[in-house]
Amino acid sequence: MDEHDRPGWFTRLVSRRTVLATGTAGLAVPAALALGPASSRHAASAQTGVVKKVTLYAEALPDNQYGYGLAPGQATIPGPVLEIYEGDTLEVTLVNNTDRRMSIHPHGVDYGVESDGSPLNASFNNPGETRTYTWRSREMVATAGRRLMPGNAGYWHYHDHAMGTDHGSLGIARGLYGALVVRRRGDILPDKQFTVVFNEMTINNRVAPDTPMFEANLGQRVEWVAIGHGNQFHTFHLHAHRWADNRTGMLEGLSDPSQVIDNKDLNPGSSFGFQVMAGEGVGPGAWMYHCHVQSHSETGMSGIFLVRNADGTMPPGAQEAIDRFRGHDHGAAAGRGPARGHGQHQHSPSR
Amino acid sequence: MDEHDRPGWFTRLVSRRTVLATGTAGLAVPAALALGPASSRHAASAQTGVVKKVTLYAEALPDNQYGYGLAPGQATIPGPVLEIYEGDTLEVTLVNNTDRRMSIHPHGVDYGVESDGSPLNASFNNPGETRTYTWRSREMVATAGRRLMPGNAGYWHYHDHAMGTDHGSLGIARGLYGALVVRRRGDILPDKQFTVVFNEMTINNRVAPDTPMFEANLGQRVEWVAIGHGNQFHTFHLHAHRWADNRTGMLEGLSDPSQVIDNKDLNPGSSFGFQVMAGEGVGPGAWMYHCHVQSHSETGMSGIFLVRNADGTMPPGAQEAIDRFRGHDHGAAAGRGPARGHGQHQHSPSR
Amino acid sequence: MDEHDRPGWFTRLVSRRTVLATGTAGLAVPAALALGPASSRHAASAQTGVVKKVTLYAEALPDNQYGYGLAPGQATIPGPVLEIYEGDTLEVTLVNNTDRRMSIHPHGVDYGVESDGSPLNASFNNPGETRTYTWRSREMVATAGRRLMPGNAGYWHYHDHAMGTDHGSLGIARGLYGALVVRRRGDILPDKQFTVVFNEMTINNRVAPDTPMFEANLGQRVEWVAIGHGNQFHTFHLHAHRWADNRTGMLEGLSDPSQVIDNKDLNPGSSFGFQVMAGEGVGPGAWMYHCHVQSHSETGMSGIFLVRNADGTMPPGAQEAIDRFRGHDHGAAAGRGPARGHGQHQHSPSR
């Protein structure tokens, strides 16, 4: 499974530079200039409190799947990563090009009942309908009692809440989900970003060996966004890398009490994110990521994180490992047709 | 489902001002003077290290359920919220008015084997028996090695540990559980407090649309205490509100590393709590709370958090949402008879 | 079940003082001089960045089980606790004395693909084969952006990743697992250390009343290392003791935001650890530890933490409780033959 053989493997977010009177309409991705292995270490900086606009197109995909995309014919599973900074507003115009009722419901941001995305609040798109959902965010605020009410920064997600039932179970099962990242100013931007959704007994609605192979070069800063969906419990495990079990995956200081982990519960509706330096301290190679529930990894919830050499060449043994993985019999691995989008994208400059 | 139509919907804790020689016997609720939206922002303060006494009556309820109550005939599911401050002792006199062996076992506090509430330690009430269980608490203490052994502050819970089996599985399944809150001095008291117990495939032993509708006015400080029980795994999700995944749900400072979440695992024996400002940044309305395991929300583990306008009036669209919810078909929603107590109570002055 | 009746109940790690040119080869246990209740309060100190070597022997045990041991004929379930300090390297020479392919795969430490322990990377032992796996570790390091990439300190674990399938499901099911502790310099060493593995529907591959009875004297500092394996979800609950849900179980300071808990999810591939002072604030006695999933505790996932008097004598009622536990009918409790090692060992000086 070579990503370069797959058109659309990268979910590239096209920049839109239209400026509106009410604010700055841009891409739902933070500014990040010339993000290479060197420059990406710089902290994020972006205009404060802007209004960003994005249009998502929901459409049917082969094999009874559905996806969200940034343009007609470009739907992917998972949908595109949407990113804002705390303080920004994101106006999501959802075009429903499917023949079913559906919606978009976000986690972690602020929205009125009209943008809830739930049938409970009559907030959804009928077939063919276009509707705009407004998501707001804010920074932490002081409260009486010497504590702070948290802001919206986090590794969140969005998903359908209306297809099939009032809870969107059908839409979620068939692929209508994606990552939503809200950053604090000063957060470190990654070089690459992967979205991993443990959805029922699949990863991004695929099973091994057809699960996404995520790739980075040795030393690149890689951001993982992990999301759980469906009806099963799962645990996400990544070989040879670890992270702090907190907001960023990094320690905030010498006395940060966070446990460091390499395995974490990833249950329906939950999400978390973290950054690792690819292969740091362990070297390049084909590293497994998988659900650690044994019967789940056995039946297809397993994939490869390919850490190439720093110059992008293949490290010794990696191709053999990949070939082994492809030939590896995962009982439940049903064949699937070609799909667009596997949750991986290069972080690229947006303005 | 209008709470005002239900006698006993609020679990009001009646103040008992009997003073004992050995300490202050009062209600198992912190002092909180004139708790309105304005004054509730004041931090808690209470007498240090008092002995509080409470009598709980266990009794049968309709539909093969059981409950704990503060007076005969007043049992509810969940039982009353018991609250103390770190340093306090709570003497719980349990009157077993059922015809089965049962007990009360707390999480988070200190107790000797005789107050363990387990048959293992011969600590239970036979039918008709009255027994006093003593729960102590303390503040954090320094230890060698520059770390602190934690105190007892937390959003805990209590439950039967003796009905049916030595693990109390029958008592728990039928409703013998409740919230236990141990506060640190200085903790912020809420205006309202809700107890949500995900027990097997129910919320507080009820299924939608008969699940509790929790109510608050816009801007009120609302405390949620979430408890898991039974044999299933669950995830608790609240729409349009979020909290820090730490002791209080709020950030302790600018460098608090806690992840901010709106969805959290809620598995048997676990509990957590947090405070939100009702509708802050999102406005009033009928907001869903539910288990995010799709098949669980589909079959009844869903309810409404009604955020009214600041003056208590209904916001536009809220009644329609409630009507929609009531008419909403939840496959497994079995009819249940009237029950007392749904885990909601107004925080009121106790001394 | 009296531990003194069982040879090998304590997994004593024999010191090996061979010094190699490339570093210090010693036992995989931190230096801890004269660890009694008094001296154990001293913080750990050890030579920086040493290379430690340990040889593990995998072998078949009765009842179709397998185990890792420090010498031929000494395999236990769980295997021996392996301990290093951040900065140390551990060279694990694994002798496969079974007739199946197997391996050792660690969580939390750094290793190259050749030490991955996975068939994906052709890293395993064929029957009869000896292979050395190298695990490295490091302290946290500063990164651009004012955050720290975490080091390797943690309560980790190791397990087979090759027996039966490419995910080691068979090896794990049959007992090939153990605890791996990586300490930060300055961490507090315990007096006693227990390893509790919730593996499928067992504790350390045993069911009640044959589960391990862990013992300590009142006031001893006891370290619990909890590990999850298999295909079920679990929650670990300990009566009358609690801990902070962070790296150490203790609070790092007055503003440590960690929730204090006594019940925690323990799902496949996850692990955590904490220290408690045995019986502090609650007194000696027979305290239950168990999975809080009701059907799991009912069918055998329950055991006893026996806190003796400070002088080691039995407290009143404890023997009766133990007798009750032994006679207690746990439906699924299948008889098992004698096994060596139950995850308990006295922390003892190693150099």
Side-chain angles (χ1 to χ4, degrees), chain B residues 126 136 184 243 309:
Chain B
N126 281 311
R136 293 180 302 274
R184 279 193 202 160
W243 64 93
N309 294 319

Side-chain angles (χ1 to χ4, degrees), chain B residues 110 120 165-166 169 231, chain C residues 221 242 294-295 298 324 328:
Chain B
D110 291 347
L120 178 82
T165 74
D166 288 357
S169 298
N231 299 284
Chain C
R221 181 178 286 270
R242 77 210 62 76
Q294 295 299 130
S295 60
E298 295 287 359
R324 226 172 267 129
H328 180 56

Side-chain angles (χ1 to χ4, degrees), chain A residues 1 14 31 33 53 57 82 87 99 108-109 193 202 207 266 274:
Chain A
M1 178 185 298
V14 180
L33 298 174
K53 294 175 190 288
Y57 299 83
L82 302 180
D99 57 2
V109 289
Q193 192 181 44
T202 77
V207 291
L266 187 54
F274 60 89

